[in-house]
Amino acid sequence: QVRLVESGGGLVQAGGSLRLSCAASGSIFVINDMGWYRQAPGKQRELVAGISRIGNTNYRDSVKGRFTISRDNAKNAVYLQMNSLKPEDTAVYYCNADIRSSSNWRTANYWGQGTQVTVSS
């Protein structure tokens, strides 16, 4: 009933930029917290950045000053602008959101399918 679809991943050289997008669709009443996670091969999934419905943000230390998370509540979308990319940023990036359904009024946590980001040195 609710889907998150990411786009914008790809291959970029170190120092380059990418912009990830994630759009939610389906039976949505309201989207609360949204965020971006990443998972590199052999590592645990980790929070990259989060944003509340009113725009409060938080970042993991390693991306502060390089990545910017934003959202458009009218479009049910969240974005991640990634600048000054480093090889260690290589991972599958996942969109995450807490969404209250308009069909059953329950709030659940949803994940996108992931998008690959590869940074070459």
Side-chain angles (χ1 to χ4, degrees), residues 1-115:
Q1 290 184 333
V2 174
R3 291 183 64 204
L4 297 178
V5 178
E6 300 106 333
S7 61
L11 173 64
V12 65
Q13 288 189 332
S17 298
L18 284 173
R19 178 178 169 87
L20 305 183
S21 299
C22 173
S25 62
S27 303
I28 296 170
F29 177 70
V30 68
I31 303 177
N32 297 312
D33 292 344
M34 303 185 81
W36 288 96
Y37 288 71
R38 67 187 181 188
Q39 187 167 19
K43 296 188 177 182
Q44 289 188 328
R45 191 172 297 188
E46 60 187 20
L47 175 66
V48 176
I51 185 168
S52 71
R53 179 165 180 79
I54 61 172
N56 295 324
T57 60
N58 63 283
Y59 298 90
R60 71 180 303 103
D61 287 346
S62 62
V63 308
K64 286 180 180 177
R66 300 188 297 122
F67 290 9
T68 302
I69 189 171
S70 60
R71 64 188 286 172
D72 185 333
N73 290 334
K75 296 182 178 179
N76 290 331
V78 63
Y79 309 97
L80 186 68
Q81 178 66 45
M82 304 185 294
N83 298 329
S84 302
L85 283 160
K86 303 176 181 180
E88 51 263 43
D89 294 319
T90 295
V92 177
Y93 284 70
Y94 296 90
C95 175
N96 179 268
D98 289 329
I99 300 174
R100 187 173 184 183
S101 169
S102 60
S103 62
N104 60 21
W105 304 111
R106 293 177 178 177
T107 298
N109 186 257
Y110 294 88
W111 292 92
Q113 83 285 355
T115 185

